[in-house]
């Protein structure tokens, strides 16, 4: 068992921001704090995004603190460009991320006030915890009658690797969020038929995504997590920014946009009014849930299914901060949350106890 002041779980945008601010607060990496990450290498969830999601087509990746990202001159897949940037960041600030290490659970330690972070690589005992585990590892598959009977292929956004494998196929895309839109951009030129199914009429973002809209949508999600509800997706608060190619394809009928079906059949999907659509593949762009099962022993969950969070602090246990969670689940929000979490943890713990002298300020 190793003692640290703070354990950071996850080294995506959120965890790296937290680690950077711990370092700035005078904590030494791998001695005063530890960063544990399940990924095979740097990059967080960006490592797993598909090849056609590029530095040009993605909405925008915010800089990490203290090291602006030099965007490549020509478009590059985000699944290599962002990991390269994160790797350089980890090196520049000597963050010594330990990976691949999966945290199995976090529980109350026998010593007063300490949390035990248990992994296959051993246990860390910490006074504070920054949880930055994202959502990628918990894809959400809604239940539909008949799903198992489908003879074609079903996959979730988390398993999507590009449209090439759907060339000439009839594809049903389920979901009204940003991932569905990103995949439709790819699929329209290659699939033989595309049906886009959304639960509610499309909720489009009115006008550009400016600072004011950003603030308003963050406030909506912050209120949800303050009440202990599941955060919901960012798009559910902002509305969807529909790529022009997708809007045009809906307009001219290359994408058949329709409301949710009632069941899955061996051949495709069907509605109770007798309609059906035949499909070779169903793509579930139905979102993700926070990866927080390892925090189960701390009993943080509310009846609403979520963890009540004020700012970044878990209301039920102020030693625990969740960043990249709810209103901070974007690259810009994750950045800010790292700073807030470190400041609040330091205040809550009555200052950090470091093995090295702490600089003033
Ligand atoms: P992640 O990047 O998911 O990092 C979490 C890390 O924690 C991972 O490395 C994981 O391996 C690790 N981990 C998880 N569980 C454990 C465990 N038990 N033990 C140890 N480690 C663990 N946001 C934007 O701002 N701009 C965009 O253009 C944009 N595009 C997007 C496109 C898609 C398709 C999707 C799905 C999301 C997009 N987002 C975008 C959202 C953005 O990617 C995330 O909000 C942000 O990157 C999340 O960072 P994170 O650090 O919270 O999580």
């Amino acid at each position: 068992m190793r003692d640290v002041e703070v354990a950071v779980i996850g080294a995506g945008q959120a965890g790296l921001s937290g680690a950077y601010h711990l370092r700035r607060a005078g904590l030494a990496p791998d001695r005063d704090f530890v960063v544990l990450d399940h990924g095979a290498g740097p990059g967080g969830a960006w490592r797993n995004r598909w090849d056609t999601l590029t530095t040009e087509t993605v909405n925008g990746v915010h800089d990490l603190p203290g090291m602006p990202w030099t965007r490549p001159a020509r478009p590059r897949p985000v699944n290599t460009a962002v990991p390269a940037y994160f790797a350089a960041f980890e090196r520049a600030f000597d963050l010594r991320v330990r990976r691949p290490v999966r945290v199995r659970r976090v529980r109350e330690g026998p010593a007063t006030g300490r949390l035990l972070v248990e992994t296959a690589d051993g246990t860390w005992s910490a006074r504070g915890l920054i949880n930055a585990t994202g959502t990628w590892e918990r894809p959400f598959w809604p239940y539909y009658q008949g799903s198992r009977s489908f003879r074609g292929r079903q996959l979730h956004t988390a398993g999507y690797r590009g449209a090439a494998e759907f060339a000439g196929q009839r594809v049903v895309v389920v979901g009204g969020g940003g991932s569905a839109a990103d995949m439709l951009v790819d699929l329209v030129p290659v699939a033989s038929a595309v049906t886009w199914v959304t639960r509610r009429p499309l909720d489009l973002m009115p006008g550009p995504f400016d600072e004011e809209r950003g603030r308003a949508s963050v406030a909506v999600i912050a209120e949800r997590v303050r009440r202990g509800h599941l955060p919901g997706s960012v798009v559910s608060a902002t509305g969807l920014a529909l790529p022009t190619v997708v809007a045009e394809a809906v307009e001219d009928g290359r994408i058949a946009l329709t409301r949710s079906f009632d069941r899955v059949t061996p051949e495709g999907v069907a509605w109770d009014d007798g309609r059906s659509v035949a499909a070779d593949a169903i793509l579930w762009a139905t979102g993700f849930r926070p990866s927080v099962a390892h925090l189960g022993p701390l009993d943080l969950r509310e009846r609403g299914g979520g963890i009540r969070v004020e700012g970044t602090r878990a209301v039920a246990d102020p030693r625990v901060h969740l960043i990249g969670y709810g209103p901070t689940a974007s690259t810009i929000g994750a950045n800010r949350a790292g700073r807030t979490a470190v400041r609040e943890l330091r205040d809550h713990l009555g200052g950090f106890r470091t093995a090295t002298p702490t600089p003033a300020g």
Side-chain angles (χ1 to χ4, degrees):
M1 171 129 64
R2 284 149 280 191
D3 282 0
V4 285
E5 277 294 277
V6 181
V8 180
I9 312 178
Q13 185 104 10
L16 290 184
S17 169
Y20 168 89
H21 287 288
L22 286 170
R23 215 156 170 5
R24 277 189 61 117
L27 274 67
D30 220 25
R31 187 168 53 182
D32 300 324
F33 74 92
V34 66
V35 187
L36 305 168
D37 184 54
H38 183 223
W46 294 105
R47 292 174 62 79
N48 305 309
R49 306 262 153 89
W50 49 97
D51 290 345
T52 46
L53 195 64
T54 69
T55 46
E56 201 173 62
T57 57
V58 80
N59 283 336
V61 178
H62 201 264
D63 291 342
L64 285 163
M67 188 174 149
W69 183 24
T70 315
R71 283 160 185 78
R74 290 216 202 99
R76 269 184 60 196
V78 284
N79 61 16
T80 51
V82 179
Y85 170 49
F86 283 16
F89 182 87
E90 289 179 17
R91 275 195 306 275
F93 296 103
D94 187 26
L95 297 177
R96 305 189 200 177
V97 177
R98 288 180 177 249
R99 59 165 65 92
V101 177
R102 170 178 280 289
V103 172
R104 289 179 177 152
R105 59 178 191 158
V106 181
R107 63 184 177 88
E108 193 66 53
T112 343
R114 295 194 78 93
L115 294 162
L116 295 187
V117 180
E118 298 179 349
T119 81
D121 266 30
T123 299
W124 278 263
S125 159
R127 291 214 298 149
L129 183 79
I130 295 182
N131 192 81
T133 44
T135 58
W136 189 259
E137 298 189 19
R138 264 198 77 203
F140 173 69
W141 297 74
Y143 171 78
Y144 275 92
Q145 191 194 333
S147 292
R148 289 196 177 170
S149 70
F150 183 58
R151 291 205 198 96
R153 178 163 177 223
Q154 300 189 64
L155 82 166
H156 189 276
T157 311
Y160 179 74
R161 289 290 164 268
E165 52 193 326
F166 302 102
Q169 296 193 2
R170 299 159 302 173
V171 184
V172 172
V173 176
V174 188
S179 306
D182 284 337
M183 291 194 271
L184 287 163
V185 170
D186 282 4
L187 288 164
V188 167
V190 300
S192 66
V194 180
T195 305
W196 184 15
V197 178
T198 63
R199 232 175 344 148
R200 286 182 286 271
L202 275 191
D203 180 15
L204 297 183
M205 188 189 291
F209 188 77
D210 51 19
E211 238 183 280
E212 198 184 326
R213 188 174 310 289
R215 260 198 301 275
S217 52
V218 162
V220 170
I221 302 178
E223 184 53 27
R224 278 186 210 149
V225 298
R226 216 174 281 131
R227 289 163 182 262
H229 297 302
L230 279 168
S233 71
V234 173
V235 165
S236 67
T238 58
L240 177 64
L242 196 62
T244 314
V245 255
V246 177
E248 286 171 358
V250 170
E251 188 69 31
D252 66 24
R254 280 172 297 147
I255 294 177
L257 175 63
T258 181
R259 69 174 166 83
S260 281
F261 44 82
D262 295 302
R263 62 191 177 282
V264 178
T265 67
E267 293 78 30
V269 296
W271 287 258
D272 286 345
D273 62 11
R275 271 189 313 139
S276 63
V277 167
D280 302 301
I282 304 175
L283 275 176
W284 297 92
T286 42
F288 296 82
R289 297 286 182 265
S291 304
V292 289
H294 54 284
L295 301 180
L298 298 178
D299 218 6
L300 304 175
R301 270 187 204 274
E302 299 287 326
R303 278 166 166 239
I307 298 175
R308 264 181 78 200
V309 173
E310 286 273 356
T312 60
R313 174 176 48 85
V315 173
D317 190 333
R319 296 167 300 174
V320 178
H321 284 251
L322 287 97
I323 64 175
Y325 181 88
T328 65
S330 68
T331 55
I332 186 165
N335 254 11
R336 291 184 183 146
R339 187 178 55 215
T340 308
V342 170
R343 194 184 52 228
E344 289 197 9
L345 258 180
R346 186 188 56 202
D347 292 349
H348 174 73
L349 297 174
F352 291 129
R353 298 177 200 149
T354 57
T356 44
T358 311

